[in-house]
Amino acid sequence: MLTSENIMQKRAAAAAPPVRRANESLAESICRYLMEHMDRHITIQQLSELFHVSQTQLKNSFKKTYGTSVYAYIRTEKMWAAARMLRETNETVLEVAGQFGYNNGSKFAKAFSDVMGMTPKEYRNTEKVHINNEKEG
């Protein structure tokens, strides 16, 4: 039986998806922007100004969509990309760090270690051993 309460609940449920889609769209736009600008250190304040939303809305939207904070997400993405560079190039650790917006080698090494479980130097040495073993095998 339809009651006014049921009708109101259905209207509320129908209204929810556009809000969710808007939050997802915002988070996806932020994510794209961050991935395109991995060479920079970008703050929540800068993002909120760029996307014309409050810092709280920005953080909540991103966390609801990706399940993690903006900073944790971009740090993880940067460290995986840095790992690839360490594996595939001969650039120094400091040069790699600079490619991802770190001008302080120790801060980069700490972030890298937090994400990858070892220092950039240890990672590079471990990967060289793996590559040499693959060539021999």
Side-chain angles (χ1 to χ4, degrees):
M1 182 168 126
L2 282 178
T3 64
S4 61
E5 185 175 302
N6 289 354
I7 293 169
M8 302 234 338
Q9 287 174 343
K10 286 183 181 184
R11 283 186 186 156
V19 171
R20 256 184 250 122
R21 279 193 296 262
N23 280 335
E24 288 172 7
S25 178
L26 172 62
E28 290 166 358
S29 295
I30 292 164
C31 185
R32 271 193 304 279
Y33 181 83
L34 291 169
M35 298 305 286
E36 291 168 3
H37 298 92
M38 276 208 273
D39 61 329
R40 301 181 193 160
H41 174 75
I42 300 169
T43 66
I44 298 293
Q45 180 177 348
Q46 289 169 324
L47 290 171
S48 71
E49 290 169 3
L50 183 67
F51 288 95
H52 307 288
V53 296
S54 72
Q55 293 181 35
T56 300
Q57 181 182 353
L58 186 141
K59 291 187 283 188
N60 289 342
S61 172
F62 198 91
K63 184 142 188 160
K64 284 178 186 172
T65 302
Y66 292 102
T68 190
S69 72
V70 173
Y71 285 132
Y73 182 89
I74 193 61
R75 183 175 73 157
T76 299
E77 291 298 319
K78 284 182 177 187
M79 294 308 112
W80 278 101
R84 189 171 39 257
M85 284 189 76
L86 289 168
R87 205 173 44 246
E88 297 173 359
T89 73
N90 289 323
E91 291 188 37
T92 68
V93 171
L94 200 52
E95 288 170 332
V96 171
Q99 295 280 334
F100 297 97
Y102 286 85
N103 54 12
N104 180 313
S106 62
K107 286 185 180 183
F108 173 75
K110 169 76 169 107
F112 191 93
S113 183
D114 287 347
V115 172
M116 304 303 290
M118 62 182 81
T119 68
K121 186 176 179 181
E122 290 168 338
Y123 180 85
R124 179 171 264 168
N125 291 339
T126 300
E127 286 303 306
K128 283 183 180 177
V129 169
H130 287 210
I131 290 169
N132 288 336
N133 287 341
E134 287 175 6
K135 287 179 182 176
E136 292 172 5

